[in-house]
Amino acid sequence: MDTLIQDLRDITIRSISVSEMNNNVYLLTAKASGEQLLIDAADDLPAIQAMLQDAAADTAATTKLAQIATTHQHWDHVRALPALVEATGAPTVAGKDDAAALPVPVDRALEHGDTCAVDGFGLTAVHLRGHTPGSIAFVYQDPEGPAHIFSGDSLFPGGVGNTQNDPARFTSLLDDVTARLFEAYPDDTVVHPGHGSPTTLGAERPHLEEWRARGW
């Protein structure tokens, strides 16, 4: 299984794609402490465990999975979550309005603007309403480079996430993505979606009005 690796100043980002849905699982490892945060335990526990083991190469410290974050409640993003929690004992975080739907107890329910942190780095929770009620994007601000947005299924290359042809949900999601991502972060910001390849806000920004006009 191919692993994508991005080496930043303070952390290393690894990602793998799992399941027939090609879900992305992201692992952030703090170089100084070895503490790790995993985003979306989507499926394939053995592959996730292999990524955790491989990430020992990303730090001189002893690695430890310190937190598991979930972008949203949909089944394809949480299939390995119960087994991973059982195997590691790591605490869980998710958006407040999706927490009750997750297959494990959520140790901390996040609201817009909250920070979830491990020893060595933190992520800002950005609530994006529309794909699900409690969808959260997690933003890492690299001290020496662009920000990194882990957008779940709220923002992809080419558009926002699925809102089941509901105009109110679509407008809500596009409004939040516009105000809370495109108006808050510069063009070089990297977007790591829940499925598929990364993009940047700059690559997608020219198409915002086109998305609004087409309604999806």
Side-chain angles (χ1 to χ4, degrees):
M1 180 175 294
D2 291 338
T3 302
L4 299 178
I5 303 174
Q6 288 186 276
D7 186 38
L8 308 183
R9 190 191 78 176
D10 295 338
I11 71 169
T12 299
I13 303 170
R14 288 178 177 253
S15 65
I16 57 173
S17 176
V18 299
S19 88
E20 74 283 0
M21 303 282 287
N22 293 316
N23 290 82
N24 291 325
V25 182
Y26 297 99
L27 179 65
L28 285 59
T29 301
K31 294 180 179 180
S33 70
E35 289 209 351
Q36 299 169 311
L37 186 147
L38 185 134
I39 299 173
D40 283 357
D43 199 13
D44 198 343
L45 179 66
I48 292 174
Q49 290 176 318
M51 180 166 63
L52 288 167
Q53 292 171 354
D54 291 345
D58 299 336
T59 172
T62 301
T63 57
K64 175 190 176 183
L65 183 59
Q67 201 165 120
I68 305 169
T70 300
T71 58
H72 65 291
Q73 62 174 275
H74 283 161
W75 66 277
D76 59 310
H77 290 261
V78 298
R79 283 181 282 183
L81 183 56
L84 186 62
V85 169
E86 183 176 358
T88 64
T92 58
V93 299
K96 177 175 68 72
D97 294 330
D98 274 15
L102 265 60
V104 299
V106 171
D107 295 299
R108 183 174 173 221
L110 301 171
E111 300 197 48
H112 180 64
D114 284 349
T115 299
C116 54
V118 302
D119 186 2
F121 67 94
L123 302 178
T124 301
V126 179
H127 187 193
L128 302 171
R129 299 156 290 189
H131 182 65
T132 67
S135 284
I136 295 287
F138 294 95
V139 183
Y140 173 70
Q141 183 61 66
D142 184 2
E144 291 186 351
H148 292 258
I149 298 172
F150 300 88
S151 59
D153 285 2
S154 291
L155 177 62
F156 294 101
V160 295
N162 189 356
T163 50
Q164 277 77 43
N165 297 313
D166 182 326
R169 285 175 58 194
F170 169 74
T171 298
S172 173
L173 180 55
L174 186 56
D175 285 352
D176 274 1
V177 164
T178 299
R180 296 179 172 185
L181 296 182
F182 284 94
E183 292 178 2
Y185 297 95
D187 281 352
D188 63 354
T189 302
V190 182
V191 178
H192 303 271
H195 308 260
S197 300
T199 185
T200 64
L201 290 184
E204 307 304 322
R205 191 184 304 275
H207 306 290
L208 283 170
E209 289 311 311
E210 170 191 330
W211 300 349
R212 192 175 296 275
R214 77 188 183 192
W216 56 274

